Amino acid sequence: MCLAVASLAMLIAAGNDADARSGERLIESIETRSAGEPLMAIVSLRDQRITVYDAKGWMLRAPVSSGSKGRETPAGIFSVIQKVEEHYSNLYDDAFMPHMQRITWSGIALHGGVLPGRPASHGCIRLPFDFAERLFDVTKMGMRVIVAPSDVTPVELVHPLLLQPKPGAGAMAAARTAEAQEAARKAAQARLAAETAFREASRAREPVRAAENLKRRAGAQLAAAETKLGALVSAEAKEQAEDDKAKAAVKVAELQLQSNAANADLQLRLDAVTAAREAAAAAETARAAAAEAARQVEREMQPVSVVISRKTQRLYVRQAFKPILESPVTIADPDRPFGTHVFTAVEHSGDDTKLRWSAVSMGGGRPPGATLEPDDRARAKRGRDAEPVPTDPGTAKAALDRISIPQDALDRIGNIAPRSSLIVTDEPLSTETGKGTDFVVLLSGEPQGGIDKRRRSPGTGFRYARPRSSPFWRSPFGNSFSAW
């Protein structure tokens, strides 16, 4: 009997281990084309699957294990705000969370973990270990992460409200970069000229020192001749002494001329050093100004995130995790919901003045309060095998049709670059939106147990009228990183 029980236990353990590793065998990728920069990752809670998209379509796909019942991974819109290759939880028994990519400061993240074939985490999104490593290597800070109730794919969309790059922005950026490079070249030349002038001045000091030493010796010889002349009494000796004195005086005069010439040359060299250093300082000032102008243009060329909330009737703009603008907007029929839609600037279309946009609409995949049962493995398997549903472009366009943005707000939004996004939602901004984050929007009709148990209130609020300068890699809650 003991042997039978032991054998059964081994079979169960082997089965569980196979389940845990099953995700590793279901990783998919497009190998027939070179993958571009990931624009977004879409996690389907119903299907327990993640799909990563670049400008050409999906590029990577794998199963996941999201939050279990009571600790559900919240459906909503996030972005990668921190990456740590080797992370250990300081909340859950030092659990190893390799290739961690944080999407909220309260502790929701993508990371490698065991996949039992069902929702099983404390709110994070577990990925197959190999997939987590591969994804970690190709993602960048700020990559959009959409956690949807059910799987959906982006579709290309054209609409007047989907902003386009400002005319000449690319040319201006190129010009500022060229100016910065030219200023750096001139500053390097000026520094080299100053160093050369200093070396030449240093060499010019040698003739001065040599002439001074020779003059000093000649002066001593002249003084000795004068002393000797005063002590002599014979005419012949005095004549010889007078001759020696005259020769010493001539030598002193010659050496004085040499000393004067050497000092004059040295002064010219020193003046050249002063002028070269002043020129180098001016060139360095110009280089710093040109470099800052290039950096400013580069910052302005970074992706812009815009959220329009029907709940607050306002528009919010962030760039590089910093708030830069808040403005009221007009929404037609404001009491009628229009859902939650994510529009992403995918890539330039032909030239730098046009961008292609994609749309992802997030529908409610299940009634509020429902979740994928932990033991419903068959349903999870069916989800993994199901094809994602394309976004309905008509619904997305209908939402945009109802929005009017004031012209002054449009003028202040800044340049639109690839990976810029527009989020149109019925929801308000989540309290997870704060220092060091992009926008976080949660779907109120979906379970949020995984974030409710972690949620913290940021120490201070944030404003859009005046950007704050805070490193995006630090936690807004005081410590280096929050405990999770």
Side-chain angles (χ1 to χ4, degrees), residues 79 81 105 318 320-322 432-440 476:
S79 61
I81 58 176
W105 283 119
R318 284 195 162 212
F321 293 172
K322 295 179 180 179
E432 292 288 341
T433 302
K435 293 181 180 178
T437 75
D438 204 325
F439 292 112
V440 179

Side-chain angles (χ1 to χ4, degrees), residues 27 66 108:
I27 297 174
S66 61
I108 305 295

Side-chain angles (χ1 to χ4, degrees), residues 80-160:
V80 174
I81 58 176
Q82 183 198 19
K83 298 178 63 170
V84 180
E85 189 169 0
E86 294 187 11
H87 181 77
Y88 293 85
S89 172
N90 49 16
L91 183 62
Y92 298 119
D93 300 324
D94 203 34
F96 184 38
M97 298 177 175
H99 302 101
M100 185 274 290
Q101 302 192 61
R102 185 188 296 272
I103 60 176
T104 74
W105 283 119
S106 59
I108 305 295
L110 309 168
H111 63 78
V114 175
L115 273 64
R118 64 184 188 277
S121 77
H122 288 82
C124 287
I125 300 165
R126 296 182 193 170
L127 309 172
F129 288 106
D130 291 347
F131 182 86
E133 180 179 5
R134 184 173 181 181
L135 185 63
F136 190 92
D137 290 339
V138 299
T139 59
K140 293 183 178 180
M141 295 285 290
M143 185 192 76
R144 179 72 66 206
V145 178
I146 300 173
V147 180
S150 57
D151 211 350
V152 63
T153 60
V155 296
E156 189 165 345
L157 196 71
V158 177
H159 193 277

Side-chain angles (χ1 to χ4, degrees), residues 204-381:
R205 295 179 188 276
E206 293 298 327
V208 171
R209 285 193 289 267
E212 291 294 333
N213 289 334
L214 292 174
K215 188 177 73 170
R216 189 164 47 252
R217 291 174 191 167
Q221 291 174 356
L222 177 60
E226 290 176 342
T227 301
K228 183 178 180 181
L229 181 63
L232 295 174
V233 291
S234 67
E236 183 178 353
K238 283 186 176 183
E239 183 180 353
Q240 181 62 43
E242 287 285 356
D243 185 55
D244 291 341
K245 176 183 175 181
K247 290 180 179 179
V250 170
K251 187 67 172 177
V252 168
E254 291 176 350
L255 291 174
Q256 182 62 51
L257 291 174
Q258 291 181 18
S259 177
N260 292 341
N263 275 293
D265 181 64
L266 175 60
Q267 188 59 50
L268 290 175
R269 304 291 184 183
L270 292 176
D271 292 343
V273 170
T274 301
R277 286 179 172 172
E278 290 175 350
E284 177 59 24
T285 300
R287 183 208 64 78
E292 178 56 32
R295 283 192 295 269
Q296 179 61 32
V297 171
E298 183 181 0
R299 285 192 291 268
E300 293 173 356
M301 295 293 289
Q302 289 184 12
V304 173
S305 295
V306 181
V307 167
I308 296 176
S309 168
R310 187 181 64 86
K311 178 74 171 180
T312 61
Q313 305 279 299
R314 299 188 75 79
L315 170 147
Y316 310 89
V317 182
R318 284 195 162 212
Q319 191 173 36
F321 293 172
K322 295 179 180 179
I324 61 174
L325 174 63
E326 178 180 349
S327 170
V329 294
T330 302
I331 298 176
D333 196 4
D335 294 331
R336 179 165 57 93
F338 47 39
T340 294
H341 311 272
V342 182
F343 304 92
T344 305
V346 177
E347 63 180 359
H348 289 289
S349 177
D351 55 35
D352 291 341
T353 62
K354 294 293 183 182
L355 283 170
R356 291 173 49 226
W357 284 80
S358 70
V360 174
S361 297
M362 301 172 62
R366 52 187 174 271
T371 186
L372 187 66
E373 293 298 329
D375 58 350
D376 194 354
R377 300 189 185 189
R379 182 179 177 187
K381 185 177 186 304

Side-chain angles (χ1 to χ4, degrees), residues 419-455:
R419 291 199 300 119
S420 294
S421 62
L422 168 62
I423 300 170
V424 175
T425 180
D426 296 319
E427 311 290 350
L429 294 180
S430 168
T431 55
E432 292 288 341
T433 302
K435 293 181 180 178
T437 75
D438 204 325
F439 292 112
V440 179
V441 177
L442 302 181
L443 299 189
S444 57
E446 297 293 324
Q448 299 179 7
I451 207 166
D452 287 338
K453 296 182 183 298
R454 306 165 183 255
R455 184 170 292 158

